[in-house]
């Protein structure tokens, strides 16, 4: 007993304890549900067999069913559009803001902190606010676009199938921009100032400095931001629930919302689990990119 | 200014303000083509600011800066054609040695093969040939330093600016690189401006030393002129190692001697007349003080400590202020001994106690 205690206090025991607790936590809270979800995607699950683990094994039947449904491909396409447009928007606006605040004008860090407010707000609240902004009849966005002469007449952002998905994308870009900006700001400030001075003396103009110093030095940060962005957008559920509920007629439905609908609205747990497994594959790819890009940090 | 073609860099009445802080005060400096100029001074004296102002990394508030006869006050750094070696080396971490070397050429649109050839030529002279494919993080401190130098050389700039380039190296390598940089300067026929806080670096490398303090140039000139005839107490104390001893003194009644305030009326002969009455400071270099074995010297003091390096010994006296003297080889005395110290009259420096300015000769 004394030996165990002393090894905990100053020996290997402490190191092992530090590793065991997070691993146990991860296994119970993340690992088991993940495995359970994968197993469920190969089983026949209904309301009656929900309570037992030993359910009939059906092989790839759930997958075959999933991909034979008419709405599957449009929803996957929506997901791809949602992810790509959201990440692109968040990254471009976030990088622009990060570069802007990097100039360090008076009050820059204070103002940058304020931007985090958007990230602190609950998704449902953000969704409610954007519902008002995007509202077809009295929305501010329509008013603005009309006044500027960009559109003629109102766009019904949330109920027009052509715009419903974009309504959520706009809200999501707003929601994720500050996170992108903060991470990119950190990456920018980690670049030693004298590299830019050296490049300037070497004859590089502002654009050349950006492409030959800033961007390559930011590679690992950019990789991390984009892969985290992919994970966060694939998680984005609140905005769909608050703004369009996936409608009209699945025009703005994406896999993460659809999985919830199937499992908890239609109680088709097997189909819900199957979609989740498809998503796990994408998140895995993003995670690998994230781990690899943070591992190859380039620092002098 | 443009007719003075032998001048590579010229500054006239240059001032630099950071808000209320006056960083450079009326700097006048002329740097001849092919010369090696060292800017030296304690930290915060403005030497780096001055260098960065030449490079264009800082803008000057007033005055004129000419480079090769052209007024450069508002010209951006990339158009000044100066190369700088940074204290941190500022190597591009995401580029190999070769890419670091060819960066400036590639920016200027030099053809790939041509840039590669230039890099190989420079690398051959600086001993980097085998390291072209390495990244800066895979190099030792000395190798990084060489890359930084090579990156400057490859451009054939109008002048090299060095910002304390050796301060991150260990002592032995620093001494070696000192000679190497100077040799390189001579071989390239380059113009170099070298910032350092180490007066030994300045003295050994430069043709022209500029001593700065609090944004002003205290004195500039050839290294040994600064050593022989420092214009004030600050320069006298800054140049020379170990530092000069300063002893409060007054002129003797005969007008040709100094009464040192070391306790009991010690008298030093001078080789020049000096006015009596006003408070003075005598400056005595440790290496000029000699122990008089006959005991007939003018200053009698007790030894407090002896530090020996083998080649020379540093003897500190128990007086107030304490006097340090250097003797060659082993120390002939031990702590506690009484010694008599003498100094040749021409080696005694005299400064005004109030203005701290050098007093050359005062009659009447």
């Amino acid at each position: 007993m004394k030996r165990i205690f002393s090894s905990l206090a100053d020996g290997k025991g402490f190191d092992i304890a530090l590793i065991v607790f997070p691993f146990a936590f991860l296994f119970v809270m993340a690992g088991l549900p993940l495995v359970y979800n994968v197993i469920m995607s190969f089983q026949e699950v209904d309301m009656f067999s929900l309570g037992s683990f030993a359910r009939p094994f059906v092989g790839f039947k759930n997958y075959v069913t999933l991909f034979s449904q008419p709405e599957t491909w449009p929803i996957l396409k929506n997901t791809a559009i949602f992810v790509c447009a959201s990440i692109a928007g968040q990254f471009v606006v976030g990088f622009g803001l990060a570069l802007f605040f990097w100039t360090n004008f008076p009050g820059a860090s204070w103002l940058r902190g304020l931007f985090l407010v958007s990230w602190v707000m609950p998704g449902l609240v953000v969704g409610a606010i954007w519902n008002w902004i995007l509202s077809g009849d009295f929305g501010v966005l329509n008013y603005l676009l009309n006044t500027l002469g960009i559109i003629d007449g109102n766009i019904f952002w949330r109920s027009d199938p052509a715009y419903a998905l974009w309504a959520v994308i706009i809200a999501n870009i707003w929601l994720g921009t500050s996170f992108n900006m903060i991470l990119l700001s950190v990456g920018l400030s980690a670049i030693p100032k004298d590299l830019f001075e050296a490049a300037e003396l070497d004859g590089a103009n502002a654009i050349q400095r950006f492409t030959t110093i800033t961007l390559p030095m930011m590679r690992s940060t950019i990789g991390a931001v984009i892969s985290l962005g992919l994970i966060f957008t694939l998680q984005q559920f609140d905005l769909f629930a608050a703004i369009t509920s996936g409608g009209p007629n699945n025009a703005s439905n994406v896999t993460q919302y659809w999985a919830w609908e199937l499992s908890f609205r239609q109680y088709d747990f097997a189909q819900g689990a199957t979609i989740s497994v498809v998503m796990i594959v994408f998140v895995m790819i993003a995670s690998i990119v994230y781990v690899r890009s943070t591992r190859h940090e380039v620092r002098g | 200014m443009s007719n003075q073609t032998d001048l590579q860099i010229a500054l006239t009445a240059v001032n630099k303000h950071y808000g209320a802080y006056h960083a450079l005060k009326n700097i006048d400096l002329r740097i001849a083509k092919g010369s090696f100029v060292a800017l030296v001074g304690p930290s915060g004296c403005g030497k780096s600011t001055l260098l960065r102002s030449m490079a264009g990394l800082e803008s000057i508030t007033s005055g004129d800066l000419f480079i090769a006869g052209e007024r450069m006050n508002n010209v951006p750094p990339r158009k000044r054609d100066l190369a700088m070696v940074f204290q941190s080396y500022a190597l591009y971490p995401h580029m190999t040695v070769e890419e670091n070397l060819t960066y400036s050429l590639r920016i200027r649109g030099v053809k790939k093969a041509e840039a590669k050839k230039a890099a190989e030529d420079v690398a051959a002279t600086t001993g980097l040939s085998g390291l072209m494919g390495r990244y800066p993080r895979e190099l030792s401190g000395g190798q990084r330093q060489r890359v930084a130098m090579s990156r400057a050389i490859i451009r054939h700039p109008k002048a090299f600016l060095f910002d304390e380039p050796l301060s991150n190296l260990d002592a032995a390598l620093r001494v070696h690189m000192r000679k190497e940089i100077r040799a390189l300067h001579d071989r390239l026929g380059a113009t170099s401006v070298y910032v350092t806080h180490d007066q030994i670096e300045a003295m050994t490398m430069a043709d022209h030393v500029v001593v700065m303090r609090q944004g002003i140039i205290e004195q500039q000139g050839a290294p040994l002129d600064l050593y022989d005839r420092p214009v004030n107490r600050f320069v006298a104390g800054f140049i020379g190692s170990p530092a000069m001893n300063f002893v409060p003194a007054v002129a003797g009644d005969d007008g040709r001697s100094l009464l040192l305030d070391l306790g009991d009326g010690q008298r030093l002969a001078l080789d020049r007349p000096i006015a009596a009455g006003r408070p003075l400071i005598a400056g005595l270099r440790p290496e000029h003080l000699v122990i008089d074995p006959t005991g007939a010297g003018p200053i009698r003091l007790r030894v407090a400590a002896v530090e020996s390096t083998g080649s020379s010994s540093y003897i500190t006296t128990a007086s107030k202020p304490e006097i340090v003297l250097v003797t060659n080889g082993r120390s002939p005395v031990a702590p506690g001994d009484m010694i008599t110290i003498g100094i040749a009259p021409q080696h005694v420096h005299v400064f005004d106690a109030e203005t701290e300015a050098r007093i050359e000769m005062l009659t009447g």
Side-chain angles (χ1 to χ4, degrees):
Chain A
M1 186 64 211
K2 203 178 158 204
R3 235 184 47 201
I4 294 173
F5 183 76
S6 83
S7 123
L8 256 184
D10 53 26
K12 253 189 181 161
F14 182 65
D15 301 351
I16 292 169
L18 278 182
I19 294 171
V20 163
F21 285 112
F23 261 92
F25 179 85
L26 276 178
F27 180 71
V28 174
M29 306 303 283
L32 283 183
L34 203 78
V35 172
Y36 185 69
N37 188 70
V38 173
I39 291 171
M40 218 156 59
S41 74
F42 292 104
Q43 289 178 327
E44 196 183 289
V45 190
D46 54 39
M47 285 299 279
F48 303 103
S49 63
L50 198 57
S52 74
F53 187 65
R55 291 178 284 249
F57 182 77
V58 293
F60 282 94
K61 183 171 162 265
N62 289 326
Y63 291 86
V64 173
T65 314
L66 177 71
F67 285 102
S68 61
Q69 285 184 37
E71 63 262 48
T72 302
W73 288 109
I75 286 175
L76 280 174
K77 189 181 153 205
N78 283 346
T79 311
I81 293 171
F82 177 70
V83 165
C84 293
S86 292
I87 291 177
Q90 289 171 357
F91 178 78
V92 169
V93 180
F95 206 178
L97 283 171
L99 288 169
F100 173 63
F101 286 120
W102 192 38
T103 56
N104 239 338
F105 53 88
S109 56
W110 181 79
L111 209 58
R112 186 167 52 197
L114 277 186
F115 266 82
L116 270 184
V117 167
S118 70
W119 207 51
V120 172
M121 295 222 290
L124 283 173
V125 176
V126 174
I129 292 169
W130 278 97
N131 272 344
W132 284 342
I133 296 173
L134 296 167
S135 164
D137 304 318
F138 54 84
V140 170
L141 186 63
N142 274 343
Y143 175 76
L144 200 72
L145 294 176
N146 271 319
T147 313
L148 291 173
I150 296 171
I151 57 168
D152 201 16
N154 286 342
I155 294 176
F156 286 82
W157 290 96
R158 293 161 54 211
S159 48
D160 187 331
Y163 291 105
L165 184 62
W166 291 98
V168 188
I169 289 171
I170 290 169
N172 193 38
I173 288 173
W174 182 85
L175 189 62
T177 291
S178 62
F179 175 74
N180 276 250
M181 179 198 64
I182 290 292
L183 272 200
L184 292 167
S185 284
V186 171
L188 280 175
S189 58
I191 306 175
K193 277 269 178 298
D194 51 12
L195 290 189
F196 295 102
E197 294 180 344
E200 210 173 344
L201 281 162
D202 271 345
N205 61 32
I207 295 164
Q208 287 167 326
R209 289 199 296 277
F210 181 76
T211 54
T212 60
I213 309 290
T214 315
L215 277 184
M217 289 297 288
M218 293 282 286
R219 214 175 61 180
S220 61
T221 311
I222 291 171
V225 164
I226 288 183
S227 45
L228 282 179
L230 177 58
I231 293 167
F232 288 153
T233 36
L234 282 178
Q235 274 185 356
Q236 186 47 263
F237 176 85
D238 309 19
L239 290 177
F240 288 96
I243 299 176
T244 62
S245 303
N249 188 25
N250 284 336
S252 69
N253 208 353
V254 290
T255 47
Q256 63 265 39
Y257 191 79
W258 195 34
W260 173 81
E261 266 188 343
L262 287 174
S263 289
F264 301 106
R265 282 286 169 85
Q266 302 172 20
Y267 301 111
D268 190 346
F269 291 98
Q271 284 292 304
T274 309
I275 299 171
S276 299
V277 170
V278 173
M279 285 180 70
I280 287 169
V281 173
F282 287 115
V283 174
M284 283 289 194
I285 294 168
S287 304
I288 290 165
V289 173
Y290 173 72
V291 169
R292 285 187 66 90
S293 65
T294 47
R295 194 173 54 195
H296 287 286
E297 300 250 290
V298 182
R299 289 284 178 261
Chain B
M1 195 64 61
S2 51
N3 54 345
Q4 290 170 284
T5 45
D6 59 326
L7 277 184
Q8 195 68 347
I9 302 178
L11 298 99
T12 348
V14 165
N15 282 281
K16 166 79 187 167
H17 294 268
Y18 291 106
Y21 181 63
H22 200 168
L24 295 176
K25 297 166 190 165
N26 268 322
I27 300 291
D28 278 303
L29 181 61
R30 270 143 190 63
I31 296 169
K33 203 171 195 164
S35 65
F36 196 116
V37 174
L39 307 178
V40 67
S43 32
C45 70
K47 55 191 190 296
S48 281
T49 306
L50 182 56
L51 190 80
R52 292 169 60 82
S53 300
M54 292 178 198
L57 298 173
E58 307 280 351
S59 60
I60 56 179
T61 316
S62 68
D64 284 314
L65 164 69
F66 289 87
I67 298 171
E70 271 181 82
R71 192 169 179 276
M72 289 285 182
N73 284 32
N74 299 314
V75 175
R78 65 195 172 88
K79 291 186 177 158
R80 293 194 185 193
D81 194 18
L82 302 174
M84 189 154 160
V85 178
F86 291 79
Q87 182 175 1
S88 61
Y89 314 138
L91 302 181
Y92 309 122
H94 55 291
M95 299 183 197
T96 62
V97 170
E98 184 179 318
E99 287 164 342
N100 264 282
L101 296 189
T102 55
Y103 181 79
S104 60
L105 303 179
R106 285 182 285 134
I107 288 289
R108 280 174 176 73
V110 173
K111 283 201 188 69
K112 248 194 183 137
E114 214 173 303
K116 193 177 162 72
K117 172 84 173 52
E120 277 162 2
D121 290 349
V122 171
T125 65
T126 51
L128 290 172
S129 294
L131 305 170
M132 295 297 256
R134 300 250 192 116
Y135 284 92
R137 61 175 176 277
E138 300 165 336
L139 302 176
S140 70
Q143 289 167 335
R144 290 180 199 191
Q145 218 281 333
R146 279 168 206 274
V147 177
M149 300 265 301
S150 310
R151 193 171 67 178
I153 295 166
I154 201 168
R155 288 174 40 194
H156 303 292
K158 290 206 181 82
F160 292 98
L161 309 178
F162 296 93
D163 190 5
E164 308 219 14
L166 303 184
S167 50
N168 287 341
L169 301 180
D170 62 61
L173 195 53
R174 205 178 309 156
V175 172
H176 175 75
M177 286 308 291
R178 223 153 70 187
K179 270 186 258 161
E180 209 164 286
I181 291 178
R182 179 66 218 209
L184 201 67
H185 167 91
D186 291 336
R187 186 159 50 78
L188 298 173
T191 307
S192 303
V193 186
Y194 190 100
V195 163
T196 177
H197 61 268
D198 181 353
Q199 55 97 13
I200 295 182
E201 262 177 36
M203 296 289 284
T204 52
M205 296 172 77
D207 312 313
H208 188 86
V209 175
V210 179
V211 182
M212 294 182 69
R213 177 174 61 161
Q214 289 171 6
I216 63 167
I217 294 179
E218 293 278 359
Q219 186 174 8
Q220 50 177 312
L224 291 180
D225 286 348
L226 265 59
Y227 177 85
D228 291 337
R229 295 170 53 80
V231 295
N232 56 31
R233 182 183 164 164
F234 172 76
V235 176
F238 195 81
I239 301 290
S241 173
M244 187 185 273
N245 297 293
F246 294 108
V247 184
V250 289
D253 299 333
D254 57 359
R256 294 195 76 86
S257 65
L258 282 175
L259 289 170
L260 301 183
D261 182 13
L262 276 167
D264 47 347
Q266 318 257 20
R267 190 179 286 265
L268 265 188
L270 285 180
D271 60 343
R272 49 197 184 269
I274 200 154
R278 84 168 122 166
L280 304 169
I281 292 170
L284 313 169
R285 290 204 184 274
E287 58 273 31
H288 290 151
L289 293 168
V290 287
I291 297 174
D292 193 336
T294 63
I299 310 171
R300 265 182 74 76
L301 294 167
R302 192 172 294 283
V303 175
V306 175
E307 298 160 286
S308 191
T309 63
S311 65
S312 57
S313 301
Y314 295 64
I315 300 164
T316 310
T317 66
S319 57
K320 195 174 174 16
E322 61 186 26
I323 303 282
V324 176
L325 59 135
V326 182
T327 61
N328 278 331
R330 307 283 155 112
S331 168
V333 296
D337 291 356
M338 284 301 288
I339 51 167
T340 13
I341 307 168
I343 186 167
Q346 72 270 19
H347 284 150
V348 179
H349 302 266
V350 183
F351 304 99
D352 188 299
E354 241 168 71
T355 64
E356 300 199 333
R358 179 184 188 81
I359 296 175
E360 206 59 70
M361 191 186 294
L362 273 178
T363 44

